[in-house]
Coordinates of all heavy atoms in Angstrom, one line a residue:
K293 N -48.4 -71.4 -29.5 CA -48.7 -70.8 -30.7 C -49.0 -71.8 -31.8 O -48.4 -72.9 -31.9 CB -47.4 -70.0 -31.1 CG -47.4 -69.5 -32.5 CD -48.0 -68.1 -32.5 CE -47.8 -67.5 -33.9 NZ -48.9 -66.7 -34.3
R294 N -50.0 -71.5 -32.6 CA -50.4 -72.4 -33.7 C -50.1 -71.6 -35.0 O -50.6 -70.5 -35.2 CB -51.9 -72.7 -33.6 CG -52.4 -73.6 -34.8 CD -53.5 -74.4 -34.4 NE -54.2 -75.1 -35.5 CZ -53.6 -76.0 -36.3 NH1 -52.4 -76.4 -36.1 NH2 -54.3 -76.5 -37.3
F295 N -49.4 -72.3 -35.9 CA -49.0 -71.7 -37.2 C -50.1 -72.0 -38.2 O -50.4 -73.2 -38.4 CB -47.6 -72.1 -37.6 CG -46.6 -71.9 -36.6 CD1 -46.0 -72.9 -35.9 CD2 -46.1 -70.6 -36.4 CE1 -45.1 -72.6 -34.9 CE2 -45.1 -70.3 -35.5 CZ -44.6 -71.3 -34.7
L296 N -50.6 -71.0 -38.9 CA -51.6 -71.2 -39.9 C -51.1 -71.0 -41.3 O -51.7 -71.4 -42.2 CB -52.8 -70.2 -39.6 CG -53.5 -70.4 -38.3 CD1 -54.6 -69.3 -38.1 CD2 -54.1 -71.8 -38.1
S297 N -49.9 -70.4 -41.4 CA -49.3 -70.1 -42.7 C -47.8 -70.1 -42.6 O -47.2 -70.0 -41.5 CB -49.8 -68.7 -43.2 OG -49.2 -67.7 -42.5
I298 N -47.2 -70.3 -43.7 CA -45.7 -70.3 -43.8 C -45.2 -68.9 -43.3 O -44.2 -68.8 -42.6 CB -45.2 -70.6 -45.2 CG1 -45.6 -72.0 -45.6 CG2 -43.7 -70.4 -45.4 CD1 -45.2 -73.1 -44.7
E299 N -45.8 -67.8 -43.7 CA -45.4 -66.5 -43.3 C -45.5 -66.4 -41.8 O -44.6 -65.8 -41.2 CB -46.3 -65.4 -44.0 CG -46.1 -65.3 -45.5 CD -46.8 -66.4 -46.3 OE1 -47.7 -67.2 -45.7 OE2 -46.4 -66.6 -47.5
D300 N -46.5 -66.9 -41.2 CA -46.6 -66.9 -39.7 C -45.4 -67.7 -39.1 O -44.9 -67.2 -38.1 CB -47.9 -67.6 -39.4 CG -48.4 -67.4 -37.9 OD1 -48.0 -66.4 -37.3 OD2 -49.2 -68.2 -37.4
A301 N -45.1 -68.8 -39.6 CA -43.9 -69.6 -39.1 C -42.6 -68.8 -39.3 O -41.8 -68.8 -38.3 CB -43.9 -70.9 -39.8
F302 N -42.4 -68.2 -40.4 CA -41.2 -67.4 -40.6 C -41.1 -66.2 -39.7 O -40.0 -65.9 -39.2 CB -41.0 -67.0 -42.1 CG -40.8 -68.1 -43.0 CD1 -41.1 -68.0 -44.3 CD2 -40.1 -69.3 -42.6 CE1 -40.9 -69.1 -45.2 CE2 -39.9 -70.3 -43.4 CZ -40.3 -70.2 -44.8
R303 N -42.2 -65.6 -39.4 CA -42.3 -64.4 -38.5 C -41.9 -64.9 -37.1 O -41.1 -64.2 -36.4 CB -43.7 -63.8 -38.5 CG -43.8 -62.4 -38.1 CD -45.1 -61.7 -38.4 NE -46.3 -62.6 -38.6 CZ -46.8 -62.8 -39.8 NH1 -46.2 -62.3 -40.9 NH2 -47.8 -63.6 -40.0
F304 N -42.4 -66.1 -36.7 CA -42.0 -66.7 -35.4 C -40.5 -66.9 -35.3 O -39.9 -66.6 -34.3 CB -42.7 -68.0 -35.3 CG -42.3 -68.8 -34.0 CD1 -42.9 -68.6 -32.8 CD2 -41.3 -69.7 -34.1 CE1 -42.6 -69.3 -31.7 CE2 -40.9 -70.4 -32.9 CZ -41.5 -70.2 -31.7
L305 N -39.9 -67.4 -36.4 CA -38.4 -67.6 -36.4 C -37.7 -66.3 -36.1 O -36.8 -66.2 -35.3 CB -37.9 -68.2 -37.7 CG -38.3 -69.6 -38.1 CD1 -37.7 -70.0 -39.4 CD2 -37.7 -70.6 -37.0
E306 N -38.1 -65.3 -36.8 CA -37.5 -64.0 -36.7 C -37.7 -63.4 -35.3 O -36.7 -62.9 -34.7 CB -38.0 -63.0 -37.7 CG -37.6 -63.4 -39.1 CD -38.3 -62.7 -40.2 OE1 -39.3 -62.0 -40.0 OE2 -37.8 -62.8 -41.4
E307 N -38.8 -63.6 -34.7 CA -39.1 -63.0 -33.4 C -38.5 -63.8 -32.3 O -38.2 -63.2 -31.2 CB -40.7 -63.0 -33.2 CG -41.4 -62.1 -34.0 CD -42.9 -62.2 -34.0 OE1 -43.4 -63.1 -33.3 OE2 -43.6 -61.5 -34.7
H308 N -38.2 -65.1 -32.5 CA -37.7 -65.9 -31.4 C -36.2 -66.3 -31.6 O -35.7 -67.2 -30.8 CB -38.5 -67.2 -31.2 CG -39.9 -66.9 -30.7 ND1 -40.9 -66.4 -31.5 CD2 -40.3 -66.9 -29.4 CE1 -41.9 -66.2 -30.7 NE2 -41.6 -66.5 -29.5
F309 N -35.5 -65.7 -32.5 CA -34.1 -66.0 -32.8 C -33.3 -65.4 -31.6 O -33.6 -64.3 -31.1 CB -33.7 -65.3 -34.1 CG -32.3 -65.5 -34.5 CD1 -31.8 -66.7 -34.7 CD2 -31.5 -64.4 -34.6 CE1 -30.4 -66.9 -35.1 CE2 -30.1 -64.5 -34.9 CZ -29.6 -65.8 -35.2
L310 N -32.3 -66.2 -31.2 CA -31.4 -65.7 -30.1 C -30.0 -65.4 -30.7 O -29.1 -66.3 -30.8 CB -31.2 -66.9 -29.1 CG -32.5 -67.3 -28.4 CD1 -32.3 -68.6 -27.6 CD2 -33.0 -66.1 -27.5
P311 N -29.8 -64.2 -31.2 CA -28.6 -63.8 -31.9 C -27.3 -64.1 -31.0 O -26.3 -64.4 -31.6 CB -28.7 -62.3 -32.2 CG -29.8 -61.8 -31.3 CD -30.7 -63.0 -31.0
E312 N -27.4 -63.9 -29.7 CA -26.2 -64.1 -28.8 C -25.8 -65.6 -28.9 O -24.6 -65.8 -28.6 CB -26.5 -63.7 -27.4 CG -27.6 -64.5 -26.7 CD -29.0 -64.1 -27.0 OE1 -29.3 -63.3 -27.8 OE2 -29.9 -64.7 -26.3
K313 N -26.6 -66.5 -29.3 CA -26.2 -67.9 -29.4 C -25.7 -68.3 -30.8 O -25.3 -69.4 -31.0 CB -27.4 -68.8 -29.0 CG -27.7 -68.8 -27.5 CD -28.7 -69.8 -27.2 CE -28.9 -69.9 -25.7 NZ -29.7 -71.0 -25.2
A314 N -25.8 -67.3 -31.7 CA -25.4 -67.6 -33.1 C -24.2 -66.8 -33.6 O -24.0 -66.7 -34.8 CB -26.6 -67.4 -34.0
T315 N -23.5 -66.2 -32.7 CA -22.3 -65.4 -33.1 C -21.3 -66.2 -33.9 O -20.6 -65.6 -34.7 CB -21.7 -64.7 -31.9 OG1 -21.2 -65.7 -31.0 CG2 -22.7 -63.7 -31.2
E316 N -21.1 -67.4 -33.6 CA -20.1 -68.3 -34.3 C -20.8 -69.1 -35.4 O -20.1 -70.0 -36.0 CB -19.4 -69.2 -33.3 CG -18.8 -68.5 -32.1 CD -17.5 -67.7 -32.6 OE1 -16.8 -68.2 -33.4 OE2 -17.4 -66.6 -32.1
T317 N -22.0 -68.9 -35.7 CA -22.7 -69.7 -36.7 C -22.7 -69.1 -38.0 O -22.9 -67.9 -38.2 CB -24.2 -69.9 -36.2 OG1 -24.2 -70.5 -34.9 CG2 -25.0 -70.8 -37.2
D318 N -22.4 -70.0 -39.0 CA -22.5 -69.6 -40.4 C -23.1 -70.7 -41.2 O -22.4 -71.7 -41.5 CB -21.0 -69.3 -40.9 CG -21.0 -68.7 -42.3 OD1 -22.0 -68.6 -43.0 OD2 -19.9 -68.5 -42.8
V319 N -24.4 -70.6 -41.5 CA -25.1 -71.7 -42.1 C -26.2 -71.2 -43.0 O -26.8 -70.1 -42.7 CB -25.7 -72.6 -41.0 CG1 -26.7 -71.9 -40.1 CG2 -26.3 -73.9 -41.5
T320 N -26.5 -72.0 -44.1 CA -27.6 -71.7 -45.0 C -28.5 -72.9 -45.0 O -28.0 -74.0 -45.3 CB -27.1 -71.3 -46.4 OG1 -26.3 -70.1 -46.3 CG2 -28.3 -71.0 -47.3
V321 N -29.8 -72.8 -44.8 CA -30.7 -73.8 -44.9 C -31.7 -73.5 -46.0 O -32.3 -72.4 -46.0 CB -31.5 -74.0 -43.6 CG1 -32.6 -75.1 -43.7 CG2 -30.6 -74.3 -42.4
Q322 N -31.8 -74.4 -47.0 CA -32.8 -74.2 -48.1 C -34.0 -75.0 -47.8 O -33.9 -76.2 -47.4 CB -32.1 -74.7 -49.4 CG -33.0 -74.6 -50.6 CD -33.2 -73.1 -51.0 OE1 -32.3 -72.4 -51.2 NE2 -34.5 -72.7 -51.1
L323 N -35.2 -74.3 -47.8 CA -36.4 -75.0 -47.6 C -37.2 -75.1 -49.0 O -37.3 -74.1 -49.7 CB -37.3 -74.2 -46.7 CG -36.9 -74.2 -45.2 CD1 -37.9 -73.3 -44.4 CD2 -37.0 -75.6 -44.6
H324 N -37.6 -76.3 -49.3 CA -38.4 -76.5 -50.5 C -39.7 -77.1 -50.1 O -39.8 -78.2 -49.7 CB -37.7 -77.4 -51.5 CG -38.5 -77.7 -52.7 ND1 -38.8 -76.7 -53.6 CD2 -39.0 -78.8 -53.2 CE1 -39.5 -77.3 -54.6 NE2 -39.7 -78.5 -54.3
L325 N -40.7 -76.2 -50.1 CA -42.0 -76.6 -49.6 C -42.9 -76.9 -50.8 O -43.0 -76.0 -51.7 CB -42.6 -75.5 -48.7 CG -41.8 -75.1 -47.5 CD1 -42.5 -73.9 -46.8 CD2 -41.6 -76.3 -46.6
T326 N -43.5 -78.1 -50.8 CA -44.3 -78.5 -51.9 C -45.8 -78.4 -51.6 O -46.2 -78.2 -50.4 CB -44.0 -80.0 -52.3 OG1 -44.3 -80.8 -51.2 CG2 -42.5 -80.2 -52.6
G327 N -46.6 -78.5 -52.6 CA -48.1 -78.4 -52.4 C -48.6 -77.0 -52.3 O -47.9 -76.0 -52.5
E328 N -49.8 -76.9 -51.9 CA -50.5 -75.6 -51.8 C -49.8 -74.6 -50.8 O -49.4 -75.0 -49.7 CB -51.9 -75.7 -51.3 CG -52.7 -74.5 -51.3 CD -54.2 -74.7 -51.0 OE1 -54.7 -75.8 -51.1 OE2 -54.8 -73.7 -50.6
G329 N -49.5 -73.4 -51.2 CA -48.8 -72.5 -50.4 C -47.3 -72.7 -50.3 O -46.6 -72.0 -49.6
G330 N -46.8 -73.6 -51.1 CA -45.4 -73.9 -51.1 C -44.5 -73.0 -51.9 O -45.0 -71.9 -52.4
G331 N -43.2 -73.3 -52.0 CA -42.3 -72.5 -52.7 C -40.9 -72.7 -52.1 O -40.7 -73.6 -51.3
D332 N -40.0 -71.9 -52.5 CA -38.6 -72.0 -52.0 C -38.2 -70.8 -51.2 O -38.5 -69.7 -51.5 CB -37.6 -72.1 -53.2 CG -37.7 -73.4 -53.9 OD1 -37.5 -74.5 -53.3 OD2 -38.0 -73.4 -55.1
W333 N -37.6 -71.0 -50.0 CA -37.1 -70.0 -49.1 C -35.7 -70.5 -48.6 O -35.5 -71.7 -48.5 CB -38.0 -69.8 -47.9 CG -39.3 -69.1 -48.2 CD1 -39.5 -67.8 -48.1 CD2 -40.5 -69.7 -48.6 NE1 -40.8 -67.5 -48.5 CE2 -41.4 -68.7 -48.8 CE3 -40.9 -71.1 -48.9 CZ2 -42.7 -69.0 -49.2 CZ3 -42.2 -71.3 -49.3 CH2 -43.1 -70.3 -49.4
F334 N -34.9 -69.6 -48.2 CA -33.7 -70.0 -47.5 C -33.5 -69.2 -46.3 O -33.9 -68.0 -46.2 CB -32.4 -70.0 -48.4 CG -32.0 -68.7 -49.0 CD1 -31.0 -68.0 -48.3 CD2 -32.5 -68.2 -50.1 CE1 -30.6 -66.8 -48.8 CE2 -32.0 -67.0 -50.7 CZ -31.1 -66.3 -50.0
I335 N -32.9 -69.8 -45.3 CA -32.7 -69.2 -44.0 C -31.2 -69.1 -43.9 O -30.4 -70.1 -44.0 CB -33.2 -70.1 -42.9 CG1 -34.7 -70.2 -43.0 CG2 -32.8 -69.5 -41.5 CD1 -35.4 -71.3 -42.1
R336 N -30.7 -67.9 -43.7 CA -29.3 -67.6 -43.6 C -29.0 -67.1 -42.2 O -29.6 -66.1 -41.7 CB -28.8 -66.6 -44.6 CG -27.4 -66.2 -44.6 CD -26.6 -67.3 -45.4 NE -25.2 -66.9 -45.5 CZ -24.3 -67.6 -45.0 NH1 -24.5 -68.8 -44.5 NH2 -23.0 -67.2 -45.0

């Protein structure tokens, strides 16, 4: 798969997440993307 946009990459994360491996996980990751198409997102 080749990612052409941030939205494409986030969609991939959602589609390939393995919830059964994350039952004990409690984490927040803040992404600060700079430059064109950038912005702030967080993954919970």
